[in-house]
DNA sequence: CGCTATCTTGACTTTATTCAAGGCTTGTGG
DNA sequence: CCACAAGCCTTGAATAAAGTCAAGATAGCG
């Protein structure tokens, strides 16, 4: 995937989706404020008025749907280049929490809405991206509905490898990064996939014993057999 | 929920989300063509260029994510007042198929995009609605990840009752309709909830034996105890 | 070096699926 | 109008999958 990310505002440009012109990007970067979040810090809180929109520059965040009984489900992840926020909405629908230390380019919502009004292309792009996110979430829904625990874990690892490899690509590394650190704990992976910690761990071990991955240290992942991983995800 | 639906173009206006003015609605209605679909007919095919956008006027449709092995998952439902289509996109991401006989107000995509360009308010409204759909899909994801078979079935019935009651409200019926016909077969409910036909049937029977619902005929549902149904869904 | 949190592994239980049979509805043709 | 056939729904018994409970291992940190 051909992508290039604006260092200043974190906007990821996808070749296939069309791009903002440089002037608009520069303007956006000026409007935003860089902000650092530590692991566990909350950017947006469900139910609050959505004060800010933001682009992720580095790190990872989780979108959390918290139920009353504390059994929280992770309904989405945000990696560098991703946008988060609900322009024109009066309520934030989900919590957004940093999984690791992260940097974002944050815009006050009113400022961002103003920018959307001034740049039609940007509003179209945001609609496109939101429709894309919707399609991706539906695909995840389909996967979660039918897939076995093994498929879910393998699919998650394949997806993480792909997305973190893209992030590495920005930093000039090999596009096919086969080694990375997970930004999530086993428990968080369980929340994401609708599985228990134990089941996630067992499936990870299965993949390791099958020679498909290695598990160095606590969070480390080495993909030994990318094709095998994709096959296990199917 | 306060809603009112434009008969001509199928746009559902939500009081909380702001409304289009009547002139814009009238203009939209002129641009659209009414189309009837029989049960099983396909409106949009995944992978094709998205030729049309549409508002649902009556009936119900399913958004289907088809896997290679024919094990298709239903990732969303469309009821009267819902919008379907991907303006500015170059590919349709999922199949959209009529569950029952349905009528829609169909717009050629280019015409719809033109209308969006002419009416900023409409584009904002579409973005709002898409963000709302995204939030709803994420909630469904959270539910599907953790909930038991019983909760899923009860939740589906509660949701169907609510949405079909809204549709009935348009026709001047009681807002609290407690009796309706499901637009889906047991198999389709299974596809939607990630369960087998047998499990769906068993859970329906459980709800019937608990006195929460009645099951007259093949597709009929009578909600005897709405509170109990919501409790079972939790 | 020991402490704590996280991860792994094992034994058992619960839950949903699979396989199989039978019943209800609906539509069609005699 | 009734009989029959086809599809859909329900129910039961056996199997497989993931969850729960419990104990031990590993890693990271003061």
């Amino acid at each position: 995937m051909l992508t290039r990310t604006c260092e200043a505002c974190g906007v990821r440009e996808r070749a296939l989706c069309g791009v903002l012109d440089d002037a608009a990007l520069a303007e956006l970067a000026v409007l935003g404020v860089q902000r650092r979040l530590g692991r566990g810090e909350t950017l947006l809180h469900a139910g609050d008025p959505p004060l800010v929109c933001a682009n992720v520059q580095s790190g990872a965040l989780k979108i959390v749907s918290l139920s009353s009984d504390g059994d929280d489900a992770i309904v989405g992840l945000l990696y560098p280049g991703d946008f988060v926020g609900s322009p024109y909405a009066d309520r934030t629908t989900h919590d957004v929490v940093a999984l690791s230390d992260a940097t974002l380019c944050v815009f006050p919502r009113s400022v961002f809405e103003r920018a959307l009004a001034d740049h039609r292309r940007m509003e179209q792009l945001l609609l496109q991206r939101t429709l894309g996110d919707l399609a991706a979430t539906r695909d995840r829904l389909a996967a979660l509905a039918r897939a076995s625990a093994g498929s879910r874990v393998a699919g998650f690892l394949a997806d993480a490898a792909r997305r973190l490899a893209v992030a590495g690509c920005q930093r000039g590394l090999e596009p096919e990064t086969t080694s990375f650190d997970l930004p999530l704990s086993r428990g968080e992976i369980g929340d994401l996939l609708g599985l228990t910690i134990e089941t996630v761990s067992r499936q990870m071990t299965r993949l390791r014993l099958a020679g498909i991955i290695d598990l160095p240290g606590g969070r480390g992942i080495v993909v030994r057999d990318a094709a095998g991983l994709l096959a296990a995800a199917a």
Side-chain angles (χ1 to χ4, degrees), chain A:
Chain A
M1 189 167 62
L2 287 175
T3 60
R4 167 170 88 86
T5 298
C6 170
E7 292 292 330
C9 62
V11 169
R12 183 174 56 209
E13 305 171 18
R14 294 171 188 150
L16 291 173
C17 293
V19 295
L20 294 173
D21 59 57
D22 288 346
L25 271 180
E27 189 175 331
L28 196 60
V30 169
L31 295 173
V33 175
Q34 193 177 56
R35 180 167 167 196
R36 272 169 198 289
L37 287 178
R39 172 175 171 80
E41 272 193 271
T42 297
L43 177 70
L44 296 170
H45 201 76
D48 290 354
L51 296 175
V52 298
C53 299
N55 282 306
V56 180
Q57 291 172 313
S58 70
L61 296 90
K62 59 181 176 181
I63 304 168
V64 185
S65 176
L66 23 50
S67 63
S68 48
D69 57 351
D71 187 12
D72 56 332
I74 298 179
V75 295
L77 295 180
L78 297 166
Y79 290 103
D82 286 342
F83 172 84
V84 58
S86 302
Y88 308 127
D90 55 352
R91 286 296 185 86
T92 298
T93 51
H94 299 94
D95 279 19
V96 175
V97 180
L99 284 168
S100 58
D101 292 350
T103 57
L104 301 96
C105 183
V106 175
F107 313 96
R109 189 167 66 97
S110 57
V111 168
F112 191 77
E113 287 178 4
R114 181 72 174 277
L116 286 182
D118 291 347
H119 298 281
R120 299 299 313 270
R121 191 78 194 85
M122 204 159 95
E123 187 158 289
Q124 285 181 11
L125 209 62
L126 180 60
L127 179 58
Q128 274 188 334
R129 181 175 288 203
T130 305
L131 285 164
D133 285 350
L134 182 57
T137 303
R138 284 177 169 154
D139 283 339
R140 244 157 63 64
L141 191 61
L144 233 139
R146 305 165 339 200
S148 66
S151 297
R152 293 187 208 183
V153 171
F156 161 71
L157 290 178
D159 187 59
R162 188 173 52 78
R163 298 185 77 170
L164 292 172
V166 167
C169 185
Q170 291 165 16
R171 299 194 301 269
L173 303 177
E174 287 292 316
E176 289 291 333
T177 301
T178 54
S179 163
F180 59 94
D181 275 0
L182 287 174
L184 298 82
S185 69
R186 295 289 186 276
E188 284 166 335
I189 296 171
D191 286 343
L192 180 70
L193 302 178
L195 301 171
T196 59
I197 293 178
E198 295 93 327
T199 300
V200 173
S201 183
R202 276 187 254 269
Q203 295 303 329
M204 293 276 224
T205 301
R206 256 169 57 91
L207 290 171
R208 183 172 59 77
L209 294 178
I212 293 173
I213 59 171
D214 262 4
L215 298 171
R219 297 284 181 87
I221 298 284
V222 177
V223 180
R224 290 222 165 286
D225 178 4
L229 190 60
L230 287 175

